[in-house]
Amino acid sequence: MAAAERTFSDVKEVILSAHKDTVAEDKVGFYNKWANNYEQDVDILDYRAPYLAAECLSAAFQGDRAQAVVLDMACGTGLVASLLQKKGFQNFHGVDGSEGMLRLAHRKGLYQDLKQCILGAQPLPAPAESYDAVLIVGALSVGQVPCSVIRELWQATKPGGYVCMTTRANASNREYKEELESVLQLMEQKGLWSRVTVLEEDLWEKAVSDQESGYIPGVVYLYRKSVGARHEQFNAMNQEV
């Protein structure tokens, strides 16, 4: 089917498949096949997470945007980087598990570095304390990327840098969201970062489940890594979880 002919019914079928809990290799194959239709499909879905995350980070960011280096995890085709570029950010590194998605991201010409990595199954190919901002938009949900990657986001961020994350807040993702927020709160309690803002949005994306209608809700979380945070604190927290 040509991309121009796609309908909400087509997108609904794809999104429901994306939310299934499958092994990492199958998930990568799914995204490779979806890559060419991805941007049109999320537009049909009225998927607002990339826009909301970019707005949230941009509003809070303190520093020289032209010099800041941003790590875009689960970068897909580069939607978030495209939005951040319009807000003055210029330096992007991207990581994604899908070669198909990475090829399309490369064509945008926004990224200075792109690497393939299955998040949660392989070590994050990013040096510690190297990024002014780290984002993961859309991938933190049931059947996608495990909450354990949050620690890798923290490690890659410079002291004083920002970490921006999103997740769905509908019924099918409730348990995952609770687990995610438990990790975020524990890291704050341990002094690893401080919460900048949490944005709850009712109009996150169009509902695709037969048990839901209209739009489903979602959340943007923005944290700032503590300047004085030490890896000893981080390691001690890992022993508790």
Side-chain angles (χ1 to χ4, degrees):
M1 177 180 289
E5 299 173 358
R6 292 180 70 78
T7 67
F8 181 70
S9 294
D10 299 322
V11 177
K12 178 178 178 179
E13 182 177 349
V14 170
I15 298 299
L16 289 174
S17 296
H19 291 171
K20 291 180 180 178
D21 193 2
T22 57
V23 297
E25 291 76 10
D26 290 342
K27 188 70 69 178
V28 169
F30 168 83
Y31 279 100
N32 283 336
K33 293 178 182 177
W34 191 19
N36 287 332
N37 287 323
Y38 177 77
E39 291 198 9
Q40 186 190 25
D41 284 3
V42 296
D43 186 56
I44 293 171
L45 188 66
D46 197 17
Y47 175 58
R48 303 184 65 227
Y51 166 79
L52 293 167
E55 288 287 324
C56 193
L57 175 62
S58 179
F61 189 84
Q62 299 175 8
D64 186 346
R65 298 177 186 218
Q67 296 299 318
V69 183
V70 177
L71 177 60
D72 187 3
M73 293 178 59
C75 64
T77 61
L79 290 177
V80 174
S82 297
L83 292 164
L84 287 174
Q85 185 196 41
K86 295 176 181 177
K87 297 184 177 298
F89 296 89
Q90 298 180 17
N91 305 297
F92 301 98
H93 293 184
V95 175
D96 199 274
S98 164
E99 290 182 2
M101 293 285 187
L102 288 171
R103 279 195 297 270
L104 294 176
H106 177 72
R107 292 176 191 173
K108 283 186 166 69
L110 297 175
Y111 294 91
Q112 289 75 45
D113 184 63
L114 286 166
K115 289 187 171 69
Q116 184 182 16
C117 173
I118 301 176
L119 299 174
Q122 299 170 333
L124 178 66
E129 299 189 346
S130 296
Y131 295 95
D132 299 280
V134 178
L135 299 96
I136 182 166
V137 177
L140 292 174
S141 64
V142 62
Q144 300 287 321
V145 173
C147 293
S148 58
V149 303
I150 300 302
R151 297 166 181 81
E152 295 183 294
L153 273 70
W154 181 89
Q155 287 178 306
T157 307
K158 291 179 181 178
Y162 297 84
V163 181
C164 185
M165 302 154 280
T166 73
T167 197
R168 294 181 286 115
N170 60 331
S172 65
N173 198 54
R174 186 170 296 141
E175 289 186 10
Y176 182 98
K177 178 175 176 286
E178 290 174 355
E179 180 186 356
L180 172 64
E181 291 180 346
S182 177
V183 172
L184 301 183
Q185 290 165 10
L186 178 60
M187 291 176 68
E188 186 171 19
Q189 291 169 5
K190 296 299 180 182
L192 297 175
W193 59 19
S194 58
R195 186 174 68 176
V196 178
T197 188
V198 174
L199 173 64
E200 298 180 347
E201 173 58 48
D202 290 333
L203 304 178
W204 192 254
E205 63 184 43
K206 291 179 181 177
V208 296
S209 169
D210 292 335
Q211 286 75 47
E212 298 168 322
S213 61
Y215 283 72
I216 65 168
V219 188
V220 180
Y221 308 92
L222 183 64
Y223 283 78
R224 193 168 190 183
K225 185 171 180 176
S226 301
V227 173
R230 296 289 180 265
H231 283 275
E232 290 79 5
Q233 295 169 273
F234 174 83
N235 293 332
M237 187 207 71
N238 277 343
Q239 294 174 4
E240 296 182 24
V241 178

